[in-house]
Amino acid sequence: MAGGQLKSETLFELMKQHFETDEGKELCKKIDLIYQINIAPKKIGVDEVSYTIDLKNGNVTKGAYEGKPDATFTFKEDDFVKIALGKMNPQIAFMRGLLKIKGSLSAAQKFTPDIFPKIPVSKL
């Protein structure tokens, strides 16, 4: 984490690039939802950074969504990275209280590790 940059920031950059590929565009068409992700460095509710994953338009931006996202997820940094890398199941994270969800539960169920590009851990 050079210069204090969150690992999640790298994941969001890679996701943005992924959405520009044919595979990424197909994924966006299939899911067609807008998610807001709140990342807390150590403790949920403290110093959170928000990102918007717009799977309607294939965009990833830093900042809260202006409007009402289909679902909002709040994670600690480490738990988000585990889910993004497919090392933790989002449903299990939710049941353990490691993930908070607001909004549509049916939209939330479409939030799976599939929306993340396959990332070599070395890139983080």
Side-chain angles (χ1 to χ4, degrees), residues 2-122:
Q5 180 176 339
L6 296 175
K7 286 181 181 179
S8 55
E9 221 165 286
T10 303
L11 282 167
F12 287 115
E13 268 312 305
L14 292 168
M15 186 183 290
K16 194 184 298 187
Q17 294 167 20
H18 177 61
F19 291 158
E20 293 171 6
T21 67
D22 290 341
E23 182 184 345
K25 288 175 185 170
E26 281 302 309
L27 181 70
C28 290
K29 274 189 218 169
K30 184 175 130 189
I31 297 178
D32 196 38
L33 295 168
I34 297 173
Y35 294 123
Q36 180 175 310
I37 309 291
N38 301 322
I39 306 286
K42 300 278 180 226
K43 183 179 179 199
I44 289 178
V46 180
D47 298 327
E48 291 178 354
V49 177
S50 297
Y51 292 87
T52 300
I53 301 174
D54 181 346
L55 292 164
K56 292 180 185 273
N57 300 303
N59 296 328
V60 178
T61 54
K62 190 170 186 176
Y65 182 65
E66 303 207 7
K68 189 175 179 205
D70 294 293
T72 300
F73 301 93
T74 304
F75 305 86
K76 283 193 312 188
E77 166 82 3
D78 293 342
D79 296 329
F80 172 74
V81 170
K82 286 176 190 168
I83 288 171
L85 295 175
K87 296 184 185 301
M88 183 188 299
N89 180 303
Q91 285 86 2
I92 291 172
F94 176 72
M95 288 187 282
R96 290 183 180 165
L98 303 175
L99 158 63
K100 307 280 185 226
I101 301 172
K102 285 186 194 165
S104 163
L105 282 181
S106 64
Q109 288 175 326
K110 293 182 180 178
F111 183 81
T112 66
D114 298 341
I115 72 167
F116 298 98
K118 302 302 169 241
I119 304 163
V121 178
S122 62

